[in-house]
Amino acid sequence: MTATGEARAGDPERGTLDKAAGENFPVAPFFLPKDWRTDLVAVYGFARLVDDIGDGDLAPGGADARLLGVPPEEAEDRLLLLDAFEADLDRVFDGTPGHPLLRRLQATVRRRSLTPEPFLGLIAANRQDQLVTRYETYDDLLAYCELSANPVGRLVLAVTGTSTPERIRLSDAICTALQIVEHLQDVAEDLGRDRIYLPAEDMKRFHVQEADLAAKTAGASVRALVAYEAQRARELLNEGAPLVGSVHGRLKLLLAGFVAGGRAALHAIAAAEHDVLPGPPKPGKLQLLREVGVTLRGEG
């Protein structure tokens, strides 16, 4: 392990937060007010940690498990870790949490009067990942995204004090789209975890077998399937894009970054001719900036 790896293993809070740089969208960019950045980083830390628990991607050494009160011999039990994490979340709202990321979150919860529901949704999504590894229909996948993605957008609106029923509806469309895009980028990685987020009914429609997803490069059928799901994500992004025009100032730029991140990732997937199997197609900075401009102008 490198010195950096050792540092991150010894400081699970910093190691988790450092992952923000690898996301498709800006987590807490510099142009936001400092208090917004502080609270968005706290929300990100929660969301990233619960995903790392669900994916088995915690830093080596078991520091997170110890902080959650899980014995070392049970530190590989993801469901047990998620239960312990939920118990620590309860202490965010009534008590003193043990994990530093949740102590960080507690200040945000109190400052913004946040409720437990979106956080519980993210935990429920990761529990589902331990029990459900295939999705029969697109509607089944959308129900999963309601837990795994939509709470994040709702939390952004809550932190910035801009929640309305219509904005939540638009945010849900954006967040579901971003989740689908991530699934498309990570088909090979997810298969390595024995998970497939491409709906089974769509795989049958395009004559794609699970074995086809294990190839080094995608055949014509897989590419056609990926293009089909990418178009669905694009339509959801377009449906949610009016959210950007419903707000003003720096929040407008932040939300444009979310939409643009999804659009730029879809452009990268298309540029790879929808062959996502060699690795996740990633957009360049110029493409991302272009998409930000298009989104801000409302041309998308």
Side-chain angles (χ1 to χ4, degrees):
M1 184 184 294
T2 65
T4 300
E6 290 171 356
R8 291 185 179 182
D11 183 0
E13 181 183 22
R14 185 73 262 152
T16 298
L17 295 178
D18 283 349
K19 295 180 180 180
E23 302 291 352
N24 277 336
F25 50 85
V27 172
F30 71 92
F31 56 78
L32 294 179
K34 183 178 178 181
D35 59 331
W36 282 11
R37 294 201 311 271
T38 296
D39 291 335
L40 290 173
V41 166
V43 167
Y44 173 80
F46 175 93
R48 182 69 268 168
L49 180 57
V50 72
D51 279 354
D52 285 350
I53 293 172
D55 290 341
D57 285 342
L58 293 176
D64 291 290
R66 288 193 298 275
L67 289 165
L68 295 172
V70 175
E73 64 272 16
E74 297 181 293
E76 300 300 318
D77 186 331
R78 297 180 193 178
L79 286 171
L80 183 64
L81 282 169
L82 289 168
D83 288 346
F85 191 60
E86 183 171 333
D88 215 27
L89 174 66
D90 290 342
R91 291 187 282 272
V92 168
F93 293 88
D94 184 18
T96 302
H99 199 289
L101 284 171
L102 293 184
R103 291 198 295 272
R104 177 190 290 259
L105 180 66
Q106 188 173 53
T108 291
V109 163
R110 291 173 174 173
R111 186 161 45 243
R112 305 297 179 182
S113 300
L114 303 181
T115 63
E117 286 74 20
F119 301 106
L120 291 171
L122 294 172
I123 294 173
N126 278 275
R127 280 204 187 95
Q128 186 166 316
D129 276 335
Q130 312 313 309
L131 305 171
V132 180
T133 60
R134 306 291 188 275
Y135 291 85
E136 181 61 31
T137 68
Y138 182 60
D139 284 344
D140 292 338
L141 184 64
L142 293 181
Y144 170 74
C145 293
E146 179 70 24
L147 297 172
S148 68
N150 298 359
V152 176
R154 295 182 180 208
L155 285 166
V156 170
L157 294 176
V159 163
T160 57
T162 54
S163 293
T164 67
E166 177 62 7
R167 284 179 179 145
I168 287 172
R169 184 187 71 81
L170 296 173
S171 172
D172 285 353
I174 293 169
C175 290
T176 291
L178 293 175
Q179 180 73 92
I180 292 171
V181 170
E182 183 177 338
H183 288 160
L184 294 178
Q185 290 177 307
D186 294 342
V187 168
E189 179 182 331
D190 289 335
L191 186 65
R193 304 181 193 273
D194 191 31
R195 298 176 189 165
I196 297 177
Y197 295 102
L198 300 166
E201 65 178 8
D202 296 341
M203 291 177 63
K204 293 174 186 175
R205 175 180 174 182
F206 286 91
H207 308 289
V208 172
Q209 305 293 321
E210 289 193 13
D212 298 329
L213 303 180
K216 291 184 178 180
T217 59
S221 295
V222 172
R223 292 175 192 240
L225 172 60
V226 170
Y228 177 73
E229 305 299 349
Q231 180 58 28
R232 281 176 152 170
R234 187 174 293 105
E235 289 169 0
L236 281 169
L237 281 175
N238 291 343
E239 178 185 336
L243 177 65
V244 176
S246 77
V247 300
H248 304 283
R250 287 178 274 190
L251 179 58
K252 185 184 184 81
L253 185 56
L254 175 69
L255 298 181
F258 292 159
V259 175
R263 287 173 168 167
L266 287 170
H267 185 275
I269 290 170
E273 298 180 339
H274 300 99
D275 184 3
V276 297
L277 299 187
K282 296 286 188 179
K285 288 185 178 180
L286 286 177
Q287 182 63 37
L288 178 59
L289 289 173
R290 176 184 176 279
E291 295 295 349
V292 168
V294 169
T295 300
L296 286 171
R297 292 193 298 272
E299 297 174 1

